[in-house]
């Protein structure tokens, strides 16, 4: 305390206390449901306020603004929009498994749950199911506490007759904790409760014979394995997956059910984005045919009847919200007033304990009422049998109450009741009514005392009431449990139709794709100053490998390149080669195709096409050329029989079996061509041409306008060891332009 009488606190202590107070308020009074009735405070206040307004399932609908006004003015001094949204959630059949509010007007749609009309336009009342929360409210079952301004009383909990915390579930974010309780089927939960009443030592696995899994408002499939669901219920937290339901109608895929809280328009948007990005060529068209008769009907038209619909849907499950994971965290406020994550068995046991306490309170309240009524009837019967004396005392005495008490041995309550009774109720016919009512109440008293005195009878009463509510409100499961294989996204090459194409590369690095293999690449039109550089033939669903002058390789999908009807597009727009590099060659084929890569220094090796693939825009170095140049890659047809022909700038030809070349994924390779005893020197002599000669083919050596066709037998004279200089070609053919096959 300071000198002015004002208390002072260190800032750290004050903020710590203030934040802890706020945290406890959010946890206990806002975000988490209670195990007893499964409601958060705002939901409980909405339901109670509607019951106080007389908005039962049998009444007329009343403006929602009236209900929200009562809730805010009497019990919940917070924002009206938040209160109305909580009310809307309880009215949406696609959000709540068992709705508590029956709405009239626009209360949103599954496609857009937030599209509900303002509260001044909608009307509401309670649903028949809400009776399970309110039916016993006025029977001494609830603990009442003052409202925020102390002028009214409100129930701290509603006397739920079924475990609503499991049936409708709950989601909420508190401070340092959250809750995600999935909804369940009423019949299954009641059966599990009845089994637990009959077998108090039942294990979780026994209960899961009844509760096989959550049951969401939508009819999408739950594909989480049973063992995973069992582990989830055992720990009280985990995750599960839901998958849309679909069937094939006249070649089209029709989606008839979506996972919980998934929008059909968002699904179509996700699929359309893939189509626009050319990442989903298997789909030709999308349609939304949803209406009142079919709330969910999304139609996907495959490009052709050759499309594997199962693979297509597996891809969509993996890449869109057609399959969705849901977090489960069964965190709630227990009977001890503390938040805790509960297993399924612990939850049901605690709720049955709450239900037992509620039924005992209800029976005791009724027993007190019966005993009070019997006490009053006993006094009334005494007055009836002594009616003349009672009338005389009333007429003669100023204070007849004490005199009656003394004359007939009555209590004050009995005397007051007699004095308040109308004279005509003491007529001759009333004696039979009094005695009949006494007999009925005495019998009821015995029954109530028997129930309260026998734990077995009390358990049977709870059991019978649960089965009664199951018969009245139970329904069939909506979310089927199906074991499914994991969804797998397809790569783009697997989704692309396999068509023959030719990829053309120009000297300036422009690329395009032409359909078919019959096209003449050199006969196409090119930009001014540009010309044909290289071409490769393959399929549209294969990857194109581009080799640059520094030995780097890059890969692109063949179908992603522009059509050959135009002049293509520069590869520098998609790739990032070094500044000094130029694009040299294109390769197209199967992953296991083998190629010979060589540099002008005479080094080289064998490499597969798959080793040249690169996801990076900057590519990857496959061939280490040093300061030399890249030679055109040579495709190998048969590793065992093909031979490699190399010619140097000095006119020496060397033929090697491919078995002498190493198979590498990258590097410089081994010496292929040399000169004995002096090795081939960088800058003085270089490798001029290299080609793979299949068995039985003819090698053609072009020198200016002359050419020499060398048959396999003639090539044998030039065959030598790797690293040798080779044999000099005949005079007139030593200035070789290039090598070709005849």
């Amino acid at each position: 305390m300071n000198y002015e009488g004002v208390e002072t606190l260190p800032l750290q202590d004050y903020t710590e206390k203030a934040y802890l107070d706020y945290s406890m308020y959010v946890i206990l009074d806002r975000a988490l449901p209670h195990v007893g009735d499964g409601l958060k405070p705002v939901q409980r206040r909405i339901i109670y306020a509607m019951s106080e307004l007389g908005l039962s399932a049998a009444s007329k609908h009343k403006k929602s603004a009236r209900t929200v006004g009562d809730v805010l003015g009497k019990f919940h001094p917070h924002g009206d929009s938040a209160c109305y949204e909580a009310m809307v959630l309880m009215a949406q059949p696609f959000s709540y498994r068992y709705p508590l509010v029956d709405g009239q007007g626009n209360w949103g749609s599954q496609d857009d749950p937030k599209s509900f009309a303002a509260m001044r336009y909608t009307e509401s009342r309670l649903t028949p199911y809400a009776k399970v929360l309110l039916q016993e409210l006025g029977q001494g079952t609830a603990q009442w506490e003052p409202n925020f301004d102390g002028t009214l009383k409100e129930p701290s909990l509603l006397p739920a007759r079924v475990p609503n915390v499991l049936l409708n579930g709950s989601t909420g974010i508190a401070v340092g904790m959250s809750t995600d309780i999935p909804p369940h089927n009423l019949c299954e939960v009641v059966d599990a409760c009845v089994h637990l009443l009959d077998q108090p030592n039942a294990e979780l696995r026994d209960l899961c014979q009844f509760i096989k899994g959550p049951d969401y408002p939508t009819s999408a499939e739950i594909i989480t394995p049973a063992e995973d669901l069992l582990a989830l219920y055992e720990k009280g937290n985990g995750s599960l997956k839901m998958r849309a339901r679909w069937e094939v109608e006249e070649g089209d895929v029709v989606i008839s059910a979506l996972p919980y809280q998934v929008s059909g328009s968002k699904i179509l948007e996700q699929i359309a984005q893939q189509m626009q990005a050319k990442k989903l060529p298997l789909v030709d068209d999308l349609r939304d045919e949803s209406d009142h008769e079919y709330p969910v009907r999304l139609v996907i038209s495959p490009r052709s009847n050759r499309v594997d619909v199962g693979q297509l849907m597996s891809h969509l499950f993996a890449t869109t919200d057609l399959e969705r994971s849901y977090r489960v965290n069964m965190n709630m406020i227990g009977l001890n007033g503390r938040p805790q994550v509960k297993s399924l068995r612990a939850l049901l046991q605690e709720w049955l304990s709450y239900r037992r306490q509620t039924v005992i309170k209800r029976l005791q309240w009724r027993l007190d009422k019966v005993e009070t009524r019997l006490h009053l009837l006993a006094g009334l019967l005494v007055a009836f049998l002594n009616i003349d004396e009672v009338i005389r005392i009333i007429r003669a005495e100023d204070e007849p109450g004490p005199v009656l008490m003394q004359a007939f041995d009555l209590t004050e309550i009995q005397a007051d009741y007699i004095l308040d009774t109308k004279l005509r109720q003491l007529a001759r016919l009333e004696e039979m009514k009094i005695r009949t009512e006494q007999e009925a109440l005495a019998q009821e008293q015995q029954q109530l005392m028997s129930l309260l005195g026998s734990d077995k009878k009390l358990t049977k009463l709870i059991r019978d009431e649960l089965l009664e509510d199951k018969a009245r409100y139970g329904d069939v499961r909506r979310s089927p449990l199906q074991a499914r294989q994991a969804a797998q996204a397809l790569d783009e090459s697997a989704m692309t139709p396999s068509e023959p194409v030719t990829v053309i590369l120009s000297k300036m690095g422009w690329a395009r794709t032409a359909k078919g293999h019959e096209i003449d690449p050199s006969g196409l039109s090119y930009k001014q100053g540009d010309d044909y550089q290289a071409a490769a033939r393959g399929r549209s669903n294969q990857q194109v490998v581009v080799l640059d002058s520094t030995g780097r390789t890059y890969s692109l999908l063949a179908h992603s390149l522009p059509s050959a009807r135009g002049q293509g597009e520069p590869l520098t727009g998609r790739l990032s080669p070094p500044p000094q590099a130029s694009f040299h060659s294109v390769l197209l084929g199967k992953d296991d195709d083998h190629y010979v890569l060589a540099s002008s220094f005479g080094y080289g090796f064998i490499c597969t096409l798959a080793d040249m693939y690169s996801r990076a825009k900057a590519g990857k170095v496959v061939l280490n050329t040093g300061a030399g140049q890249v030679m055109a890659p040579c495709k190998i047809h048969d590793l065992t029989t093909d031979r490699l022909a190399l010619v140097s700038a000095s006119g020496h030809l060397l033929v090697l079996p491919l078995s002498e070349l190493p198979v590498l994924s990258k590097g410089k390779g081994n010496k292929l061509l040399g000169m004995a005893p002096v090795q081939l020197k960088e800058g003085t002599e270089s490798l001029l041409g290299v080609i793979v000669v299949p068995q039985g083919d003819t090698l053609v050596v072009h020198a200016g306008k002359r050419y020499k066709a060398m048959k396999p037998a003639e090539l044998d004279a030039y065959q030598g060891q790797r690293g040798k200089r080779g044999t000099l070609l005949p005079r007139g053919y030593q200035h070789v332009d290039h090598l070709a096959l005849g």
Side-chain angles (χ1 to χ4, degrees):
M1 302 288 287
N2 62 10
Y3 64 93
E4 294 179 346
V6 178
E7 182 181 3
T8 59
L9 281 174
L11 183 60
Q12 178 181 351
D13 296 346
Y14 173 78
T15 52
E16 180 180 353
K17 181 179 182 301
Y19 190 72
L20 285 175
D21 290 346
Y22 165 73
S23 302
M24 292 306 298
Y25 166 77
V26 172
I27 291 170
L28 299 178
D29 289 332
R30 183 183 297 179
L32 300 188
H34 195 282
V35 67
D37 57 11
L39 299 176
K40 301 176 185 179
V42 64
Q43 296 169 331
R44 188 178 300 116
R45 287 162 177 166
I46 291 170
I47 299 302
Y48 176 64
M50 293 182 74
S51 70
E52 287 294 287
L53 286 170
L55 296 177
S56 67
S59 68
K60 290 184 179 181
H61 292 82
K62 191 170 286 188
K63 283 289 184 184
S64 302
R66 172 70 186 279
T67 299
V68 173
D70 262 35
V71 173
L72 300 186
K74 294 180 178 179
F75 311 113
H76 196 72
H78 295 277
D80 59 340
S81 60
C83 180
Y84 182 51
E85 282 192 26
M87 183 178 176
V88 168
L89 190 69
M90 294 190 290
Q92 292 177 336
F94 47 85
S95 295
Y96 249 49
R97 182 63 179 84
Y98 298 96
L100 294 166
V101 176
D102 176 16
Q104 188 169 272
N106 177 13
W107 290 79
S109 65
Q110 183 173 350
D111 199 48
D112 187 7
K114 298 289 187 180
S115 63
F116 52 86
M119 58 185 173
R120 60 182 177 274
Y121 299 121
T122 61
E123 298 177 340
S124 58
R125 66 182 179 187
L126 293 171
T127 61
Y129 172 77
K131 195 174 180 182
V132 301
L133 300 174
L134 299 165
Q135 186 173 340
E136 301 173 355
L137 185 59
Q139 300 178 21
T141 54
Q143 181 177 349
W144 297 82
E145 56 186 24
N147 67 341
F148 64 91
D149 61 0
T151 58
L152 296 169
K153 296 283 187 179
E154 62 175 313
S156 58
L157 285 177
L158 297 181
R161 290 169 58 95
V162 291
N164 185 61
V165 67
L166 265 184
L167 301 182
N168 277 320
S170 184
T171 60
I173 300 175
V175 178
M177 63 181 67
S178 63
T179 183
D180 289 281
I181 306 171
H184 290 76
N185 184 269
L186 189 147
C187 294
E188 295 178 3
V189 172
V190 167
D191 287 342
C193 289
V194 169
H195 182 74
L196 197 56
L197 286 171
D198 296 339
Q199 305 288 337
N201 296 323
E203 297 295 330
L204 176 65
R205 191 173 292 272
D206 300 327
L207 298 177
C208 286
Q209 296 298 317
F210 303 97
I211 303 177
K212 299 182 183 298
D215 187 23
Y216 287 89
T218 62
S219 54
E221 298 174 343
I222 296 175
I223 63 171
T224 302
E227 288 300 317
D228 291 352
L229 291 174
L230 183 67
L232 182 153
Y233 285 135
E234 186 174 5
K235 294 186 295 184
N237 56 46
S239 65
L240 57 86
K241 286 185 178 180
M242 291 190 76
R243 180 178 289 183
R245 294 175 65 185
W246 61 279
E247 54 274 336
V248 178
E249 293 183 9
E250 300 180 356
D252 291 339
V253 176
V254 178
I255 298 170
S256 56
L258 295 175
Y260 180 55
Q261 291 183 335
V262 169
S263 164
S265 60
K266 184 179 179 182
I267 294 291
L268 293 179
E269 182 182 344
Q270 290 174 336
I271 299 175
Q273 285 177 351
Q274 293 190 42
M275 293 173 65
Q276 291 171 0
K278 297 183 179 180
K279 293 183 178 179
L280 195 60
L282 299 180
V283 175
D284 182 56
D285 187 28
L286 293 173
R287 296 191 304 277
D288 186 356
E289 297 182 356
S290 306
D291 54 23
H292 289 290
E293 186 177 358
Y294 301 100
V296 176
R297 185 177 169 85
L298 308 180
V299 182
I300 302 174
S301 298
R303 185 168 292 277
S304 71
N305 56 8
R306 296 190 302 273
V307 172
D308 188 332
V309 176
Q311 281 191 348
L312 169 62
M313 293 306 297
S314 179
H315 171 78
L316 293 178
F317 288 141
T319 58
T320 69
D321 283 345
L322 286 174
E323 179 178 309
R324 190 169 176 181
S325 294
Y326 295 87
R327 180 171 169 267
V328 176
N329 181 28
M330 296 202 289
N331 188 13
M332 64 198 74
I333 300 171
L335 296 181
N336 58 3
R338 296 179 180 179
Q340 185 182 2
V341 177
K342 301 183 185 297
S343 67
L344 178 64
R345 187 175 184 277
L347 191 158
L348 292 179
Q349 282 182 321
E350 191 162 346
W351 183 83
L352 286 173
S353 174
Y354 171 75
R355 180 61 188 156
R356 186 177 295 273
Q357 295 173 16
T358 303
V359 172
I360 290 173
K361 289 179 182 177
R362 187 189 80 204
L363 295 176
Q364 187 62 53
W365 175 84
R366 180 58 187 166
L367 181 60
D368 293 343
K369 290 284 185 183
V370 168
E371 290 177 342
T372 301
R373 182 62 179 167
L374 283 172
H375 184 61
L376 294 176
L377 289 176
L380 193 61
L381 189 59
V382 169
F384 177 81
L385 295 175
N386 300 276
I387 184 65
D388 295 334
E389 181 65 15
V390 169
I391 293 174
R392 188 194 66 76
I393 292 173
I394 292 173
R395 293 180 64 184
E397 300 293 336
D398 293 335
E399 295 289 339
V403 178
L404 287 174
M405 291 168 59
Q406 184 176 2
F408 303 109
D409 194 19
L410 301 175
T411 64
E412 184 177 354
I413 296 175
Q414 289 174 320
D416 290 341
Y417 185 70
I418 292 170
L419 293 173
D420 292 339
T421 302
K422 293 181 180 179
L423 187 62
R424 62 183 176 185
Q425 287 182 273
L426 299 178
R428 173 63 57 184
L429 294 176
E430 287 299 320
E431 181 181 2
M432 294 301 296
K433 291 183 179 180
I434 292 171
R435 293 192 182 277
T436 302
E437 186 179 356
Q438 274 184 323
E439 290 176 4
L441 289 175
Q443 186 177 358
E444 184 181 357
Q445 182 185 31
Q446 291 300 319
Q447 291 176 348
L448 292 171
M449 293 176 68
S450 175
L451 286 170
L452 288 169
S454 171
D455 193 60
K456 187 175 181 180
K457 290 182 179 180
L458 190 63
T459 299
K460 184 179 183 302
L461 175 64
I462 296 171
R463 185 181 190 278
D464 292 343
E465 289 179 348
L466 282 169
L467 293 175
E468 178 186 337
D469 289 328
K470 171 189 171 182
R472 182 176 296 135
Y473 304 110
D475 56 4
V476 296
R477 167 174 279 275
R478 293 186 191 173
S479 303
L481 297 161
Q482 296 286 348
R484 301 288 187 188
Q485 291 183 346
Q488 187 172 4
L490 299 173
D491 57 21
E492 293 185 49
S493 60
M495 290 190 290
T496 306
S498 180
E499 300 172 345
V501 293
T502 302
V503 177
I504 302 104
L505 176 68
S506 74
K507 291 184 180 297
M508 295 175 63
W510 286 58
R512 46 188 155 166
T513 300
K515 290 185 179 180
H517 291 168
E518 297 78 19
I519 189 169
D520 178 16
S522 60
L524 297 175
S525 65
Y526 294 88
K527 293 176 70 69
Q528 186 175 1
D530 200 3
D531 203 353
Y532 167 72
Q533 171 71 20
R537 291 177 173 83
R539 312 296 293 185
S540 57
N541 62 343
Q542 294 175 334
Q543 290 195 63
V544 180
V545 171
V546 183
L547 178 67
D548 72 9
S549 57
T550 65
R552 284 181 172 269
T553 59
Y554 314 82
S555 54
L556 299 166
L557 286 171
H559 73 86
S560 67
L561 294 173
S563 170
R565 294 175 183 174
Q567 294 176 335
E569 67 176 56
L571 289 177
T572 51
R574 299 194 188 188
L575 308 175
S576 302
Q580 74 278 11
S582 60
F583 295 110
H584 184 276
S585 306
V586 287
L587 307 175
L588 194 60
K590 299 177 182 177
D591 292 354
D592 57 355
D593 285 349
H594 288 77
Y595 289 84
V596 174
L597 297 182
S599 68
S600 59
F601 287 161
Y603 288 84
F605 58 92
I606 296 174
C607 180
T608 64
L609 189 64
D611 289 330
M612 303 186 213
Y613 294 153
S614 172
R615 294 183 179 180
K617 289 181 65 176
K620 67 177 182 179
V621 177
V622 175
L623 176 64
N624 186 0
T625 62
Q629 299 294 318
V630 169
M631 306 303 294
C634 303
K635 185 175 181 180
I636 299 171
H637 302 280
D638 191 329
L639 279 168
T640 59
T641 59
D642 289 359
R643 291 189 289 181
L644 184 68
L646 305 107
V647 64
S648 66
S650 61
H652 288 78
L653 177 66
L654 177 64
V655 178
L656 301 172
L658 290 178
S659 59
E660 293 198 16
L661 274 69
V663 179
L664 304 173
S665 60
K666 62 179 181 178
K668 181 179 180 181
N670 289 358
K671 174 74 76 173
L672 303 181
L673 186 65
M675 185 179 65
V678 181
Q679 296 296 315
L680 189 69
K681 295 182 179 179
E682 298 181 8
T684 59
E685 190 174 5
S686 62
L687 180 63
L688 184 67
V690 56
I691 192 169
V692 171
V693 184
Q695 186 179 23
D697 273 19
T698 300
L699 175 67
V700 181
V701 179
H702 290 266
K705 295 182 179 181
R706 304 175 67 182
Y707 65 90
K708 180 176 178 60
M710 306 174 71
K711 294 185 178 180
E714 193 175 352
L715 281 178
D716 292 344
Y718 292 90
Q719 187 159 328
Q721 294 181 350
R722 179 183 61 79
K724 299 297 184 179
R725 193 177 187 193
T727 304
L728 190 64
L729 288 166
R731 187 180 297 275
Y733 297 99
Q734 296 174 358
H735 298 288
V736 179
D737 291 329
H738 65 278
L739 302 177
L741 296 177

